[in-house]
């Protein structure tokens, strides 16, 4: 194998492309002297709402807060109350589940489809009870869930649909983007996301005017007017510098996602190794490939082999939520589809700054295993 190294995600190279524009944002902010809830945030919220096809975007401190605040807003509006249930995929990153618990609600875990790793719409309805108030589909790895079926179920049972879109910036479903496919959506702009800040950041999108109004207060100590507090809110505001950076990076998001698609297409066409199960894309041209996650029963040996050949990989995620110490009350549960996925998955390098030579190296190395 050649000596070319392939990092999992070269954040320095991704952000270096914008260095001069970032410096301008910083200088403008220093000159203006306004750091929180200013023009940069207002502009980004308008841009991202329009990008997603939603009426409102509310910038918050991170993706976990985005989900928590949606649930808290529904409680303030009388839609939910402590002890109500929210259906969520069992194989998600733990933040989806923590958001429900932190809001005094009960997470109800549903197994995913074995091939796509997305929540199984056919398994949702049997988990609905008189206490169910919402479904939280997670657009895992950048692929949108089967939203028509989920929305039909929600309508049938008078439930809210809250998209966890933390990995799906720009992903499409029947001509609409993630963030506009349910009642509300939470986004993370963690640096490694397809649209990543240079620190923690997040946002909520919705076309529900009452929900948006409540959310804008909740993120700001429960206040619309300084020193007047309608709700017991928190401090979770997307700051001016990150909002400015995100506006710059948003302009390249579609192009960056297209580069990810091109790499994913090449992986799907050219990786040929009987030990490796490739991901299933319902529609490869709508997927934004936040992660290109393969499966193998020999994961440890495979990961070590790739590392020895200069290819960095990541496991998304080693343990599912029900096996974590944080949810020890669930540790004895059996969720075989989820457990099998988590035991076999390995994410390959994929990013908009990967070179053709690096992509070829990944493919050649895997095929030689």
């Amino acid at each position: 194998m050649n000596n070319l190294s392939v990092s999992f995600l070269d954040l320095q190279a991704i952000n270096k492309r914008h260095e001069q524009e970032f410096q301008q944002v910083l200088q403008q902010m220093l000159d203006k002297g306004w750091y929180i809830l200013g023009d940069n945030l207002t502009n980004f919220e308008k841009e991202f709402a329009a990008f997603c096809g939603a009426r409102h975007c509310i910038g918050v401190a991170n993706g976990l807060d985005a989900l928590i605040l949606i649930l808290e807003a529904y409680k303030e509006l009388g839609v939910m109350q402590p002890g109500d249930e929210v259906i969520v995929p069992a194989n998600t990153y733990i933040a989806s589940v923590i958001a429900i618990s932190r809001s005094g609600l009960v997470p109800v875990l549903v197994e995913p489809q074995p091939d796509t790793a997305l929540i199984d719409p056919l398994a949702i309805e049997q988990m609905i009870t008189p206490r169910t108030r919402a479904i939280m589909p997670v657009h895992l790895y950048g692929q949108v869930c089967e939203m028509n079926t989920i929305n039909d179920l929600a309508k049938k049972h008078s439930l809210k649909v809250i998209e966890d879109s933390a990995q799906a910036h720009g992903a499409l479903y029947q001509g609409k983007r993630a963030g506009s496919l349910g009642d509300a959506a939470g986004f993370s702009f963690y640096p490694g996301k397809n649209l990543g800040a240079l620190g923690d950041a997040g946002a909520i999108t919705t076309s529900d005017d009452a929900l948006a109004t409540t959310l804008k207060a909740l993120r700001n100590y429960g206040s619309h007017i300084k020193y007047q507090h309608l709700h017991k809110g928190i401090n979770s505001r997307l700051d001016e510098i990150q909002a400015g950076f995100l506006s710059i990076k948003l302009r390249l998001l579609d192009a960056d996602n297209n580069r990810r698609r091109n790499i994913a297409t090449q992986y799907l066409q050219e990786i040929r190794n009987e030990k490796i199960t490739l991901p299933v894309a319902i529609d490869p041209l709508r997927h934004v490939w936040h992660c290109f996650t393969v499966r193998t029963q020999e994961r440890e040996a495979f990961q070590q082999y790739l590392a020895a050949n200069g290819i960095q990989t990541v496991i998304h995620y080693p343990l599912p939520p029900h096996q974590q110490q944080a949810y020890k009350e669930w540790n004895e549960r059996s969720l075989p589809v989820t457990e099998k996925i988590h035991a076999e998955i390995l994410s390959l390098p994929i990013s908009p700054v990967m070179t053709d030579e690096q992509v070829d190296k990944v493919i050649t190395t895997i095929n030689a295993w």
Side-chain angles (χ1 to χ4, degrees):
M1 300 295 173
N2 65 48
N3 293 323
L4 178 70
S5 64
V6 186
S7 64
F8 179 74
L9 183 66
D10 189 343
L11 285 178
Q12 287 177 297
I14 287 172
N15 288 315
K16 190 74 173 174
R17 301 175 299 169
H18 308 288
E19 183 174 7
Q20 290 186 336
E21 292 174 291
F22 288 164
Q23 289 175 346
Q24 289 172 3
V25 166
L26 177 59
Q27 191 60 53
Q28 288 166 1
M29 192 184 73
L30 290 171
D31 292 343
K32 190 178 290 186
W34 195 290
Y35 310 111
I36 295 172
L37 298 180
D39 292 341
N40 284 354
L41 177 59
T42 299
N43 291 338
F44 174 71
E45 287 175 334
K46 289 178 181 176
E47 293 160 2
F48 195 66
F51 177 83
C52 292
R55 276 208 299 273
H56 305 282
C57 170
I58 300 93
V60 297
N62 55 70
L64 175 58
D65 280 3
L67 296 175
I68 290 172
L69 285 165
I70 293 168
L71 296 168
E72 290 292 343
Y74 278 131
K75 286 164 59 182
E76 292 290 329
L77 292 167
V79 175
M80 300 179 189
Q81 60 184 359
D84 283 342
E85 296 172 353
V86 179
I87 290 172
V88 65
N91 63 313
T92 185
Y93 180 57
I94 199 169
S96 315
V97 183
I98 288 175
I100 299 166
S101 302
R102 278 283 170 189
S103 301
L105 305 169
V106 179
V108 175
L109 304 181
V110 172
E111 288 267 57
Q113 297 167 320
D115 54 352
T116 64
L118 299 176
I119 192 169
D120 186 348
L122 299 178
I124 291 174
E125 190 162 23
Q126 60 188 322
M127 303 301 288
I128 294 173
T129 76
R131 295 306 302 269
T132 307
R133 295 294 177 268
I135 304 168
M136 185 182 288
V138 178
H139 305 319
L140 197 66
Y141 307 142
Q143 178 161 228
V144 176
C145 298
E146 182 47 62
M147 293 303 295
N148 279 354
T149 305
I150 291 169
N151 282 324
D152 287 347
L153 275 174
K155 185 176 181 181
K156 177 181 175 181
H157 295 278
S158 300
L159 307 176
K160 296 297 183 183
V161 175
I162 302 164
E163 299 173 77
D164 183 338
S165 296
Q167 300 185 10
H169 314 77
L172 288 159
Y173 178 83
Q174 298 188 358
K176 297 177 68 177
R177 292 195 196 263
S180 66
L181 300 167
D183 295 288
F187 286 88
S188 166
F189 303 124
Y190 180 79
K193 303 297 186 183
N194 291 35
L195 180 61
L198 276 70
D200 273 322
I204 299 158
T205 55
T206 184
S207 290
D208 182 329
D209 297 341
L211 183 67
T213 299
T214 304
L215 285 164
K216 286 179 181 178
L218 282 175
R219 72 166 176 191
N220 187 40
Y221 300 98
S223 172
H224 290 295
I225 302 170
K226 196 168 187 177
Y227 303 132
Q228 296 182 26
H229 304 271
L230 300 174
H231 314 283
K232 298 182 182 76
I234 63 172
N235 173 16
S236 181
R237 302 172 298 204
L238 176 59
D239 66 69
E240 282 291 281
I241 192 164
Q242 297 300 344
F245 291 164
L246 286 165
S247 284
I248 290 164
K249 295 185 74 173
L250 181 59
R251 299 169 201 156
L252 268 188
L253 179 57
D254 279 336
D256 281 355
N257 284 342
N258 282 334
R259 174 58 179 157
R260 288 175 177 270
R261 289 187 187 104
N262 291 339
I263 295 168
T265 298
Q266 192 172 348
Y267 281 166
L268 290 169
Q269 291 174 347
E270 298 182 22
I271 292 176
R272 292 288 179 267
N273 188 313
E274 62 184 15
K275 296 181 181 181
I276 303 299
T277 301
L278 296 172
V280 172
I282 300 166
D283 186 341
L285 298 179
R286 303 295 177 260
H287 200 314
V288 293
W289 299 102
H290 174 62
C291 295
F292 189 97
T293 300
V294 301
R295 291 170 59 180
T296 176
Q297 295 181 10
E298 301 175 45
R299 180 173 67 190
E300 184 177 359
F302 182 47
Q303 187 173 38
Q304 290 176 354
Y305 163 77
L306 292 176
N309 284 281
I311 298 171
Q312 185 183 26
T313 57
V314 175
I315 300 172
H316 292 102
Y317 302 95
L319 281 178
H322 75 280
Q323 293 183 334
Q324 300 282 353
Q325 177 64 21
Y327 288 97
K328 56 184 180 293
E329 65 273 22
W330 295 345
N331 286 174
E332 299 305 314
R333 285 194 188 184
S334 175
L335 293 164
V337 179
T338 292
E339 289 159 19
K340 182 174 175 60
I341 289 171
H342 283 257
E344 295 179 355
I345 50 176
L346 189 68
S347 295
L348 304 182
I350 187 166
S351 86
V353 296
M354 276 183 75
T355 66
D356 291 344
E357 189 180 8
Q358 288 176 318
V359 175
D360 290 340
K361 161 102 183 240
V362 173
I363 294 166
T364 303
T365 306
I366 291 174
N367 287 343
W369 184 46

